[in-house]
Amino acid sequence: AEQSTPRPSSSPVSPRSRPGSRPGSKLGSRPSSAAKVALKCATLDVLMSKMYGFQEAMLIVQVQTVRGIDGIESAAPYLVAECEEVIKGTTPLTRGQDLQFNAEFTFNVAKAASKLVVYLKGKRKLKKDKEYGAFKITINQIGDGALHKGWYPIETLDDDPAARVKAGEVYMKMQFLTVTTLNRDFEIAKDHHLQLKKALMARDLVIVCSLCAAYSSEELSKTLIRLFNSEGQAIRLLVQLTFRDLKQTLSKETVFRTDSMATKTARNYFAIVAPDYLDTVIGSLVREVIECKQESLEIDERKLSHVDEGKRQAVIAANIKRLETYVEKFLQAVFDNIDLLPLNVRKFFKFLKTMVLQCFPESVHQATGALIFLRYVCPGVMAPRKFGLTEIEVLPDQAQRDLILIVKVMQQLASGTEFKKEAFMTPLNPFLTRHRPRITAYLDRLAEVPDDGPDDAYRDPLDEEDSIRYVSLLVGHIQRNLATIDKKIEQDPRMTQATDETKVAQSREHWATVKQILEGGVKPS
């Protein structure tokens, strides 16, 4: 989700570009048609420098799962969300009768009477894209601040409303924030900027980690990592979040296997400090697969019914070899370019290794592999448009399937396991065995950083006004999750397992200060 917080100004302000900054959620005023292209590429900081406060309301939409759509297994499905003529799309992470999207969209909203429409469509060769249906809602039905979540109906798109029928369901989370709400949070952050930052960034980050336990979103993750990175505290944030994640993990098989706030924030940090890494390392390979004119890499016999039965096994054997060759190319590109990862990223993996050794000593390589491959490299291969590796919005069905097969093998290597459930993938197990020592050696190198090595020169300071805007976004999230955060703080491992009661008391004192500020009981600093 893109993210920005603009301010009004009576005189022009020159945009300031900051290397590595990524677009965040659009909270600025709607661009004119002449400025749309420029605004689309603008960073959060550039938009923030132009205005003072919030000019439009914000709608955050999280689309997780679509189910019950007839015939979707044979299509190349994609999802489109539209609000006030702004259109954002995404393809699913996994396919089947249930489609996993895990996508987040953030929209400017100028009028509460506007509609949000979420379309489900399917790409078809030489034909117009198939429209399976849509979910529609008027923004003012959502209400201010409340988080709405659940299964919502996808209905067919008949012109006659009476003829529309339910085609399936979509699991969504929606939150609408009015201009009044956003500017209230902004004024609180402005009046108590330093006090709030001191409390939020206090030792052990109990408040921030409890907020992340109470509410999870890309927008929150990007806000946190940008603010902490500006203070040179990004690694501390990542370490504290991953520490909590490990404490809540019940078995070694599930270490970093979910899209938690820890894994989201690690991925977003990698994107900030190494914005061109994926494109430099694997971009050309991804585009090679997309543009390949040869037959697919398919090795599932059920998907090769168009091949003559007598030739099918020979085709599968040849495709296994081709698939192995592609995976080797991707792995070699990652292995050869380890030095392109910034020193701070390597330092984080060194801290990570130490923490995993304490919790799951036999799973150090699986944990490291999960974060660098499952949560960063593989998503880039699966969703290349999202990570800037291609301009193609919806990939051809064959290209998407080929990339999925490549990712399946890399994920299995990174997790240290063999194929069992998917029988058609088991012929790749000897390949996994041969390459496991190589990936283990790479993961060990990833965490090798000298203790006295120079600090990464990436700290990206914010000026005071920009910092206030980030703090104001956190204020809003805290306001809306106050009761839950209260409970999470008392359950936090830094509170329940602490041996130093002074630290526990300090954490409670910081939280009491934040609540007093939100209640208006503290004078502006």
Side-chain angles (χ1 to χ4, degrees), residues 227-485:
L227 181 64
F228 274 76
N229 192 50
S230 74
E231 299 289 331
Q233 300 292 318
I235 298 300
R236 189 161 71 98
L237 173 65
L238 293 177
V239 167
Q240 293 295 342
L241 286 174
T242 50
F243 166 77
R244 266 80 169 188
D245 203 315
L246 286 167
K247 285 291 184 181
Q248 293 169 0
T249 301
L250 300 178
S251 69
K252 63 181 182 180
E253 290 79 17
T254 58
V255 174
F256 302 135
R257 296 304 291 258
T258 61
D259 195 24
S260 65
M261 281 297 290
T263 57
K264 285 182 201 292
T265 308
R267 181 177 64 242
N268 288 325
Y269 180 62
F270 302 160
I272 286 176
V273 298
D276 301 319
Y277 172 80
L278 288 179
D279 191 35
T280 301
V281 175
I282 61 170
S284 60
L285 287 171
V286 169
R287 290 186 286 275
E288 180 184 326
V289 175
I290 293 172
E291 297 164 9
C292 181
K293 303 300 182 184
Q294 298 183 40
E295 290 295 315
S296 75
L297 300 175
E298 188 57 70
I299 61 174
D300 186 350
E301 187 173 1
R302 295 169 300 178
K303 296 180 181 292
L304 291 170
S305 57
H306 60 285
V307 177
D308 184 79
E309 189 172 354
K311 300 178 180 179
R312 207 170 290 165
Q313 292 306 314
V315 168
I316 291 174
N319 284 351
I320 288 173
K321 293 296 183 184
R322 292 174 58 219
L323 178 57
E324 290 178 345
T325 299
Y326 265 116
V327 174
E328 284 180 343
K329 287 182 180 180
F330 275 87
L331 291 175
Q332 197 61 51
V334 173
F335 297 161
D336 288 347
N337 290 285
I338 190 171
D339 292 332
L340 290 183
L341 284 169
L343 183 61
N344 265 15
V345 172
R346 307 273 298 273
K347 283 184 175 180
F348 166 63
F349 278 106
K350 184 173 183 176
F351 284 121
L352 177 71
K353 183 176 182 179
T354 301
M355 289 188 291
V356 177
L357 278 171
Q358 294 174 355
C359 301
F360 301 100
E362 70 280 17
S363 300
V364 171
H365 295 118
Q366 289 92 322
T368 308
L371 270 186
I372 192 67
F373 279 97
L374 274 66
R375 296 294 155 199
Y376 188 46
V377 176
C378 290
V381 178
M382 286 276 288
R385 165 95 168 132
K386 179 179 178 181
F387 287 81
L389 308 187
T390 181
E391 291 299 317
I392 301 174
E393 291 192 15
V394 180
L395 298 182
D397 204 23
Q398 176 180 314
Q400 186 71 63
R401 175 62 178 171
D402 288 349
L403 291 174
I404 288 173
L405 290 169
I406 291 168
V407 163
K408 280 179 181 288
V409 182
M410 289 199 293
Q411 286 178 331
Q412 216 69 24
L413 261 174
S415 63
T417 56
E418 292 189 338
F419 290 108
K420 294 179 181 179
K421 292 181 179 180
E422 294 179 299
F424 71 92
M425 295 295 293
T426 55
L428 274 299
N429 283 339
F431 176 88
L432 299 179
T433 302
R434 291 197 307 272
H435 287 77
R436 193 146 285 134
R438 295 180 65 208
I439 199 164
T440 299
Y442 166 78
L443 295 174
D444 284 335
R445 285 181 60 205
L446 197 61
E448 290 174 358
V449 186
D451 291 327
D452 57 350
D455 284 339
D456 203 31
Y458 194 78
R459 181 189 172 192
D460 191 6
L462 295 168
D463 63 31
E464 185 178 18
E465 290 179 355
D466 291 349
S467 181
I468 289 171
R469 286 166 180 75
Y470 282 99
V471 173
S472 78
L473 292 171
L474 298 182
V475 165
H477 287 303
I478 293 171
Q479 290 262 36
R480 292 184 289 276
N481 296 279
L482 206 59
T484 308
I485 295 171

Side-chain angles (χ1 to χ4, degrees), residues 13-296:
V13 179
S14 298
R16 295 167 292 116
S17 74
R18 291 188 171 152
S21 294
R22 288 309 224 191
S25 61
K26 294 182 179 176
L27 293 179
S29 56
R30 177 170 307 289
S32 64
S33 57
K36 281 184 179 178
V37 174
L39 278 175
K40 183 178 179 181
C41 301
T43 64
L44 173 58
D45 301 323
V46 172
L47 290 180
M48 281 182 171
S49 71
K50 294 180 179 178
M51 298 186 185
Y52 190 79
F54 293 81
Q55 302 301 302
E56 291 186 326
M58 178 170 68
L59 174 65
I60 302 172
V61 181
Q62 296 173 312
V63 182
Q64 296 184 353
T65 307
V66 171
R67 69 183 183 189
I69 306 291
D70 288 339
I72 199 70
E73 302 95 328
S74 60
Y78 64 98
L79 186 143
V80 174
E82 180 177 350
C83 184
E84 293 190 354
E85 299 182 0
V86 176
I87 300 173
K88 303 183 180 186
T90 186
T91 52
L93 298 175
T94 61
R95 296 186 186 183
Q97 187 154 2
D98 288 359
L99 305 175
Q100 288 294 135
F101 285 95
N102 293 343
E104 184 171 321
F105 308 108
T106 304
F107 294 96
N108 291 347
V109 179
K111 300 176 182 178
S114 302
K115 282 188 177 182
L116 167 70
V117 185
V118 178
Y119 296 95
L120 182 67
K121 301 184 179 185
K123 195 88 174 170
R124 297 190 294 186
K125 294 180 180 179
L126 306 177
K127 292 182 180 181
K128 182 180 178 181
D129 290 358
K130 181 178 177 60
E131 295 182 329
Y132 291 95
F135 165 72
K136 301 180 181 181
I137 189 171
T138 304
I139 303 302
N140 55 22
Q141 291 180 262
I142 300 174
D144 183 18
L147 179 65
H148 297 264
K149 57 184 178 180
W151 289 98
Y152 296 91
I154 295 176
E155 295 185 335
T156 55
L157 296 170
D158 298 272
D159 293 333
D160 180 5
R164 294 172 191 165
V165 296
K166 183 177 176 181
E169 293 179 304
V170 55
Y171 189 85
M172 296 171 53
K173 296 180 180 180
M174 298 178 288
Q175 193 166 45
F176 176 57
L177 307 174
T178 65
V179 175
T180 301
T181 295
L182 292 170
N183 281 318
R184 176 205 63 196
D185 300 337
F186 175 81
E187 288 302 316
I188 293 172
K190 180 182 174 184
D191 289 342
H192 304 279
H193 179 221
L194 296 180
Q195 291 168 290
L196 285 166
K197 274 211 320 191
K198 179 182 178 181
L200 293 172
M201 294 188 170
R203 183 185 177 94
D204 293 338
L205 306 184
V206 171
I207 298 174
V208 163
C209 291
S210 297
L211 167 60
C212 291
Y215 177 77
S216 173
S217 77
E218 281 289 328
E219 182 264 337
L220 173 58
S221 169
K222 290 179 179 179
T223 298
L224 284 169
I225 199 61
R226 184 68 182 88
L227 181 64
F228 274 76
N229 192 50
S230 74
E231 299 289 331
Q233 300 292 318
I235 298 300
R236 189 161 71 98
L237 173 65
L238 293 177
V239 167
Q240 293 295 342
L241 286 174
T242 50
F243 166 77
R244 266 80 169 188
D245 203 315
L246 286 167
K247 285 291 184 181
Q248 293 169 0
T249 301
L250 300 178
S251 69
K252 63 181 182 180
E253 290 79 17
T254 58
V255 174
F256 302 135
R257 296 304 291 258
T258 61
D259 195 24
S260 65
M261 281 297 290
T263 57
K264 285 182 201 292
T265 308
R267 181 177 64 242
N268 288 325
Y269 180 62
F270 302 160
I272 286 176
V273 298
D276 301 319
Y277 172 80
L278 288 179
D279 191 35
T280 301
V281 175
I282 61 170
S284 60
L285 287 171
V286 169
R287 290 186 286 275
E288 180 184 326
V289 175
I290 293 172
E291 297 164 9
C292 181
K293 303 300 182 184
Q294 298 183 40
E295 290 295 315
S296 75

